[in-house]
Amino acid sequence: MKARLINGAGNAFILADARDRPSPTRIDAARIRAWAQRWAFDQLLVLEKSGHADAFMRIWNSDGDEVGACGNGTRAAAWRMMENGAGDRIALDTAAGVLLASRTPGHEVSVDMGPPRLDWRDIPLAREMDTVSLDFYTEVDGVRIENPGAVNMGNPHAVFFVRDVESLPVERLGREVEYDPVFPERVNAGFAQILHPEHIRLRVWERGAGLTPACGTGACAALVAAHRRGLAGRRASITADGGELFVEWRESDGHVILTGPVEDQGEIELDL
């Protein structure tokens, strides 16, 4: 079948539309890993029929694990549906719930990621801790990081606040954090440098995908964790390796809104 290579602020996806198929998509993890050797992508997105939204979006990391949510992937899939005439507002059902996306006046796409989940059991953590600042640290080659904020944005995130993100061995630290037993479902590790209360530099080690040019749920988690720590306001631009995202944690309803660009990189053949 035809599929698209598409990215959101550098966060790379394969997007396939299987809404004409009668049954849910099942894909062997080894096949996804083989595709990742051929095409560089962070997540595979497959659209399916939904009885109460425009589509159901199934999400796999490039290591073959199925996951619940993907902020930039939701924006990318919604943008493609908009470009195909589905209108300027799209409802996408996911394992993490229905997410609403809309086109912005600047020709970007916003998605309402809903409220963050902040209880230690929601992350989840292996033991009770204050998620504003976890009693947790790790060290690699003499570099110590500690006391991250923990946020679940449909998937779990640990956000470390650092002085100079560019000098950190992010890949080695991220791998250590992802597999630490304190995170029983593994975790996405974010490394955030506060440049200004409304500007955050962020790098993310994504569970099942590795170091990614951008992570939408990671950007949302960084803003929420920074605000809870008193380091940022409720709105901030997030500079990722692959581009700029904008996040707002609305005070009115507690929902987190993610906004950013989408780029279509062409068509491929994919055998689902």
Side-chain angles (χ1 to χ4, degrees):
M1 70 183 304
K2 303 293 186 184
R4 308 295 301 186
L5 293 173
I6 196 166
N7 80 76
N11 201 175
F13 310 104
I14 292 178
L15 173 64
D17 192 340
R19 284 178 289 173
D20 59 345
R21 298 191 172 194
S23 58
T25 305
R26 297 288 181 261
I27 309 174
D28 184 75
R31 177 183 276 187
I32 295 175
R33 290 194 294 269
W35 290 337
Q37 295 299 311
R38 182 175 180 184
W39 299 290
F41 66 93
D42 298 309
Q43 279 83 31
L44 168 67
L45 315 173
V46 178
L47 300 179
E48 300 176 349
K49 289 180 180 178
S50 171
H52 56 277
D54 293 298
F56 181 86
M57 185 171 71
R58 204 172 294 277
I59 309 163
W60 289 267
N61 284 335
S62 58
D63 71 348
D65 283 349
E66 191 166 357
V67 295
C70 178
N72 281 327
T74 302
R75 294 191 312 98
W79 177 85
R80 183 66 187 171
M81 294 172 71
M82 292 171 189
E83 291 294 290
N84 287 336
D88 289 338
R89 292 180 61 83
I90 300 292
L92 281 175
D93 195 8
T94 71
V98 176
L99 303 177
L100 302 176
S102 58
R103 197 191 297 269
T104 72
H107 301 291
E108 295 185 324
V109 177
S110 291
V111 60
D112 183 341
M113 298 298 297
R117 297 164 62 193
L118 302 171
D119 187 88
W120 70 273
R121 287 162 290 228
D122 292 332
I123 303 304
L125 302 174
R127 64 182 186 273
E128 182 175 0
M129 279 188 273
D130 181 359
T131 60
V132 172
S133 179
L134 299 186
D135 180 19
F136 171 82
Y137 78 91
T138 194
E139 187 171 332
V140 172
D141 297 336
V143 178
R144 177 180 170 121
I145 52 173
E146 59 189 358
N147 306 124
V151 181
N152 189 310
M153 290 300 314
N155 50 23
H157 289 267
V159 183
F160 295 86
F161 295 99
V162 301
R163 291 186 177 182
D164 181 10
V165 71
E166 311 299 345
S167 67
L168 285 181
V170 167
E171 294 187 56
R172 282 175 287 161
L173 288 167
R175 189 177 292 108
E176 287 292 317
V177 174
E178 177 185 356
Y179 288 97
D180 193 281
V182 79
F183 305 106
E185 296 182 8
R186 296 161 47 208
V187 74
N188 300 284
F191 303 87
Q193 180 180 347
I194 306 298
L195 303 176
H196 181 273
E198 294 184 350
H199 188 191
I200 299 171
R201 172 71 173 105
L202 179 69
R203 304 191 77 194
V204 176
W205 174 270
E206 199 165 6
R207 64 172 183 171
L211 186 62
T212 179
C215 177
T217 56
C220 295
L223 186 278
V224 169
H227 181 74
R228 296 181 79 207
R229 197 75 69 87
L231 301 174
R234 301 190 77 99
R235 299 159 53 94
S237 59
I238 312 293
T239 300
D241 288 349
E244 293 285 330
L245 296 166
F246 184 81
V247 179
E248 178 182 6
W249 187 12
R250 286 196 308 228
E251 191 168 9
S252 59
D253 59 6
H255 286 215
V256 180
I257 312 301
L258 171 69
T259 303
V262 176
E263 180 185 11
D264 191 330
Q265 296 176 292
E267 187 176 83
I268 60 172
E269 279 287 341
L270 198 68
D271 180 10
L272 290 183

